[in-house]
Amino acid sequence: MAAEMRLPTIQKQGSMSIYGKGRKDLVVPGDIITSDTGFMRGHGTYVDEDKLTASVAGEVERVDKLICVKPLKTRFNGEVGDVVVGRITEVQQKRWKVETNSRLDSVLLLSAVNLPGGELRRRSAEDELTMREYLHEGDLISAEVQSVFSDGALSLHTRSLKYGKLGQGVLVQVSPSLIKRQKTHFHNLPCGASIILANNGFVWLYPTPEQQEEEAGGFYTSLEPVNLSDREVISRLRNCIMALAAHKVLLYDTSVLYCFESSLQHQVKDILKPEVMEEIVMLTQQKLLEQKG
């Protein structure tokens, strides 16, 4: 049985100090945020003896007089308009249950999906009987949060052609707090793959499609074999995302692309080695700082 052995490497001291200048306040439960009574209490805080105290571990965020603590690791708290990637867990009457990394299963109503072929009509009993032909247990979908129920469960919709059933690709799960909010979460990267950075922490990597099948209404999934070069690119992107997530770096199209470029000098299987991972992430952070500077 072959065993891989690696020699210890010398850590470069002080090389990460340049990244600490712009960091926000980090607190743990019980830390006093402020004793000023002029601030309002937000999520993740409570008042103890007239002092605003953190109730979760995370970053302190201040908006005017409102102070809240954003947890570093948490379940997904969806808002209207969020892009999510989820897995169908159950088919019920006129609805699908979807697992979206939130506290409760999300709901996708039959009336909130495009019919195959893009038909615009009322849903009939026949549509209800053929729901499993559209989506069945285990299918992955991309969707948008349409509304939030009173108990916190999310109502989804896939009425746009960019949403719908996902085909061949790789799913990577990270903390939702690592996904940077942007105008669009669908990106065609110049390296030859596409990525969906969903707000719920599910990242979907897939080969960039040559043409979009609009007549399918979001249910068309290509089952053509993916060539070796595309599989290598997707595998490299997957390992890059895992490396960025391990070092708590925000995930968005620029950071993922810089990390991909920094990893090209290494083999795909070596990216997740601790010393290689640290080197790649450090190069990525330097590029991001140069871009901001």
Side-chain angles (χ1 to χ4, degrees), residues 3-229:
E4 182 181 356
M5 299 180 66
R6 298 196 303 273
L7 295 174
T9 56
I10 300 175
Q11 299 287 337
K12 295 180 181 179
Q13 298 296 330
S15 58
M16 298 295 289
S17 60
I18 58 173
Y19 310 122
K21 295 180 181 178
R23 292 184 62 182
K24 299 180 181 179
D25 295 331
L26 294 176
V27 293
V28 296
D31 281 358
I32 296 174
I33 301 173
T34 180
S35 55
D36 189 346
T37 57
F39 287 98
M40 292 186 293
R41 180 174 68 87
H43 292 294
T45 63
Y46 65 95
V47 178
D48 183 25
E49 297 180 356
D50 293 333
K51 296 177 182 177
L52 197 62
T53 309
S55 61
V56 295
E59 293 178 347
V60 178
E61 292 186 344
R62 292 180 172 88
V63 181
D64 296 330
K65 290 290 184 179
L66 177 68
I67 292 182
C68 58
V69 178
K70 182 181 178 182
L72 294 176
K73 191 174 182 181
T74 180
R75 281 280 188 171
F76 173 57
N77 294 315
E79 300 175 8
V80 175
D82 282 352
V83 175
V84 299
V85 169
R87 189 180 296 276
I88 303 293
T89 58
E90 194 176 346
V91 181
Q92 297 183 344
Q93 186 177 13
K94 294 185 180 179
R95 68 187 63 198
W96 292 271
K97 284 292 185 77
V98 188
E99 204 282 305
T100 54
N101 198 26
S102 54
R103 287 188 291 269
L104 298 169
D105 278 348
S106 302
V107 174
L108 176 64
L109 296 174
L110 177 60
S111 59
V113 302
N114 282 332
L115 293 172
E119 294 181 72
L120 296 175
R121 56 176 175 78
R122 290 178 63 90
R123 304 322 188 246
S124 63
E126 293 181 3
D127 294 320
E128 190 175 345
L129 291 173
T130 58
M131 282 175 61
R132 287 184 191 276
E133 294 181 11
Y134 307 154
L135 297 167
H136 58 80
E137 291 89 343
D139 282 349
L140 280 168
I141 62 165
S142 61
E144 183 179 310
V145 178
Q146 183 177 26
S147 60
V148 182
F149 295 117
S150 57
D151 60 354
L154 306 177
S155 177
L156 310 177
H157 81 86
T158 62
R159 290 199 190 93
S160 173
L161 286 175
K162 64 182 179 180
Y163 304 127
K165 186 177 179 180
L166 300 176
Q168 299 187 93
V170 174
L171 179 68
V172 186
Q173 297 186 26
V174 300
S175 174
S177 60
L178 294 177
I179 304 294
K180 183 177 181 180
R181 288 185 177 273
Q182 294 182 290
K183 289 183 178 179
T184 177
H185 290 263
F186 293 76
H187 303 285
N188 293 332
L189 301 178
C191 58
S194 298
I195 186 172
I196 303 176
L197 292 161
N199 292 107
N200 62 334
F202 286 10
V203 180
W204 180 251
L205 301 163
Y206 61 101
T208 302
E210 295 181 1
Q211 58 183 5
Q212 184 67 36
E213 295 283 339
E214 296 187 358
E215 296 82 8
F219 292 100
Y220 171 78
T221 55
S222 174
L223 297 178
E224 293 293 323
V226 181
N227 58 50
L228 180 61
S229 59

Side-chain angles (χ1 to χ4, degrees), residues 225-246:
V226 181
N227 58 50
L228 180 61
S229 59
D230 285 344
R231 293 203 302 270
E232 286 182 351
V233 168
I234 291 173
S235 299
R236 184 177 293 274
L237 280 171
R238 182 259 181 195
N239 286 355
C240 288
I241 290 171
M242 296 293 288
L244 292 173

